[in-house]
Amino acid sequence: MPSNTNSLHTYFKGTRQTLRTGILLCLLFAATAVQAQDLTPVTGINDGPYAVYQSPAQADKSGLDVSWICNDKLQKQSYASAASISLPAPCGYPRALTIRPPETAVPATIKFKADKVAAISDIHGQFDLMLKLLQGNGIINQDWQWTFGTGHLVIAGDVLDRGPKVTETLWLLYALEAQAKAAGGAVHLLLGNHETIVMAGDVRYLNKKYAAVAQHLNTSYQQMFDTSSVLGRWLRSKPVIIQVNDMLFMHGGLHPDYQNLNMSLQQVNEKYRQTLGLSKAQIKTDDVLNWLYGSIGPLWYRGYFTAPQLPGDDLNKVLQQLKVERIVVGHTTMNGVYSHYQGKVISIDSGIKGGVKGEMLFWDKGQLSKASADGQKVAVPDAPERRKDAGD
């Protein structure tokens, strides 16, 4: 500290000014944070159904408690059995739903053959836009019934978070899964990073509507998708990676270090299933889990598009090892469906999360195309040099 009087005066004057500036900056940051949080109460909520097993440990023999929030009022109904019951639609999802027996067996394969394939990703609660895309491209009709025949529809992760109609999106996919199976087709819902972080209690990206819904239900959003709920148990039966024809589908991408795990893709899926909901601290204690849930794991990897970009030779080794022609991924947002690495990687996160526009990928007899909601198919173009990385 200065020793003479003039210097002391100057020192304290400068200190007071620094303090005033610091306080003003803190107030400014605080005001900005409050504004960013958007603390306006959510009212007029119509959401549901939320179906919970009365005895989760014996879900196949359990009754079911079902809740809706209709115009901010909680409605409940209980059923003696959870198997093959029909739920009404007082509000929220606007169609009657048939609840199937809970999933009890792990799928026997991750490899599928299909005469035609459609793929979409990163819906993020934008139900209305998803509906337009599915209807405009002949996947479903105006009554939300499956019309894609023996075709396979792949959703490459990230249905949860951000948007205001996550519940509706999940229930439609749940219903379409049964309809597609009955027609000889299939719906493959893959888990993305947002499904896994919600299951682990990370709600940073939650639409504020669902924070209010959780309050109405007197629970947490994480618990709304745990193993006691129909949707939570259903989601936990889903894989992270599948192969359809000569294409490998996942949310983020597959880094060459995958081969160091000495695990098959089926084993990778099972490892995810066994560990969904673990905290970051728990994951960090296990090297395999740390890789699977980390930045170069299949849920988060962006190395096909962002620096340091994966060399083409390394990608070729991955494809050769797994005996596939290409990898199809979401996660990294662009303004459409694009081809990379001479068609060996296809990116399908087309910005649906914005709720304005989006695209789907199609495979038919070995030919790739894409289309928006108007259903006009065009060839999948090479990606433009400048790409948007959503960073989520």
Side-chain angles (χ1 to χ4, degrees):
M1 184 180 291
S3 55
N4 60 66
T5 304
N6 288 336
S7 296
L8 278 171
H9 177 73
T10 302
Y11 171 78
F12 283 116
K13 183 178 179 181
T15 302
R16 285 194 298 271
Q17 182 63 40
T18 301
L19 285 170
R20 281 196 297 270
T21 302
I23 291 169
L24 286 171
L25 285 172
C26 287
L27 289 172
L28 177 62
F29 287 142
T32 303
V34 169
Q35 185 178 19
Q37 286 179 348
D38 187 5
L39 301 178
T40 308
V42 180
T43 57
I45 293 175
N46 289 284
D47 193 36
Y50 291 95
V52 178
Y53 297 106
Q54 294 166 358
S55 302
Q58 294 182 307
D60 56 331
K61 301 177 182 178
S62 172
L64 204 64
D65 292 328
V66 186
S67 301
W68 296 262
I69 297 94
C70 298
N71 198 23
D72 296 330
K73 302 295 182 183
L74 182 62
Q75 293 188 19
K76 291 186 175 183
Q77 191 166 339
S78 294
Y79 299 83
S81 172
S84 302
I85 62 170
S86 181
L87 299 183
C91 66
Y93 187 75
R95 296 283 197 278
L97 282 162
T98 299
I99 303 300
R100 306 189 292 272
E103 305 286 346
T104 56
V106 174
T109 183
I110 66 163
K111 295 183 179 181
F112 304 90
K113 294 289 185 182
D115 57 357
K116 53 185 178 179
V117 182
I120 189 172
S121 85
D122 294 77
I123 297 163
H124 282 299
Q126 295 295 345
F127 175 76
D128 296 332
L129 180 51
M130 179 193 74
L131 203 60
K132 290 177 182 177
L133 285 162
L134 296 181
Q135 290 173 335
N137 286 285
I139 310 298
I140 63 174
N141 62 21
Q142 295 303 309
D143 294 323
W144 303 4
Q145 298 297 302
W146 179 262
T147 54
F148 201 45
T150 57
H152 287 219
L153 171 65
V154 181
I155 302 93
D158 278 11
V159 171
L160 299 186
D161 280 344
R162 302 190 185 282
K165 291 188 176 181
V166 169
T167 312
E168 291 89 334
T169 305
L170 289 172
W171 281 122
L172 178 59
L173 296 176
Y174 178 90
L176 290 178
E177 186 177 67
Q179 294 175 26
K181 184 177 180 181
V187 171
H188 304 285
L189 173 59
L190 310 184
L191 298 180
N193 61 310
H194 279 266
E195 280 74 45
T196 62
I197 66 174
V198 165
M199 291 179 191
D202 184 343
V203 293
R204 286 175 294 164
Y205 304 94
L206 188 65
N207 187 287
K208 65 177 184 176
K209 167 188 170 180
Y210 291 105
V213 168
Q215 286 186 328
H216 280 291
L217 296 175
N218 193 30
T219 188
S220 69
Y221 195 67
Q222 180 185 16
Q223 289 174 312
M224 288 160 61
F225 293 101
D226 66 14
T227 55
S228 68
S229 75
V230 170
L231 286 177
R233 191 173 289 250
W234 177 67
L235 283 172
R236 280 170 168 76
S237 74
K238 301 307 170 194
V240 169
I241 303 172
I242 64 166
Q243 180 181 334
V244 183
N245 298 335
D246 61 357
M247 299 173 288
L248 207 60
F249 290 85
M250 70 199 74
H251 183 62
L254 203 60
H255 187 279
D257 284 356
Y258 154 73
Q259 59 191 326
N260 297 332
L261 298 179
N262 293 316
M263 297 170 67
S264 69
L265 294 179
Q266 183 85 314
Q267 289 172 322
V268 167
N269 281 334
E270 185 56 31
K271 193 69 172 178
Y272 277 116
R273 269 193 201 94
Q274 294 169 355
T275 57
L276 291 170
L278 291 184
S279 67
K280 283 185 179 180
Q282 291 172 307
I283 286 169
K284 287 181 178 179
T285 63
D286 184 289
D287 289 341
V288 172
L289 294 182
N290 207 30
W291 190 88
L292 289 176
Y293 287 94
S295 61
I296 62 172
L299 296 168
W300 291 90
Y301 186 52
R302 298 185 192 275
Y304 304 146
F305 319 112
T306 61
Q309 195 168 359
L310 184 71
D313 287 345
D314 289 348
L315 174 64
N316 289 336
K317 290 176 183 176
V318 173
L319 296 174
Q320 290 165 8
Q321 178 194 6
L322 295 171
K323 299 178 181 178
V324 294
E325 292 295 318
R326 59 178 55 90
I327 298 175
V328 182
V329 299
H331 188 50
T332 300
T333 305
M334 302 185 192
N335 63 358
V337 170
Y338 287 109
S339 170
H340 312 259
Y341 296 90
Q342 296 80 48
K344 296 172 184 176
V345 171
I346 306 294
S347 61
I348 62 171
D349 179 356
S350 60
I352 292 172
K353 68 183 177 185
V356 177
K357 62 179 182 177
E359 295 179 344
M360 296 182 67
L361 172 71
F362 296 90
W363 180 99
D364 192 344
K365 297 180 178 65
Q367 297 299 310
L368 293 177
S369 61
K370 68 172 186 174
S372 56
D374 63 10
Q376 298 297 310
K377 292 183 174 63
V378 298
V380 177
D382 291 336
E385 293 205 6
R386 296 190 66 183
R387 296 182 287 270
K388 177 187 174 185
D389 178 1
D392 66 346

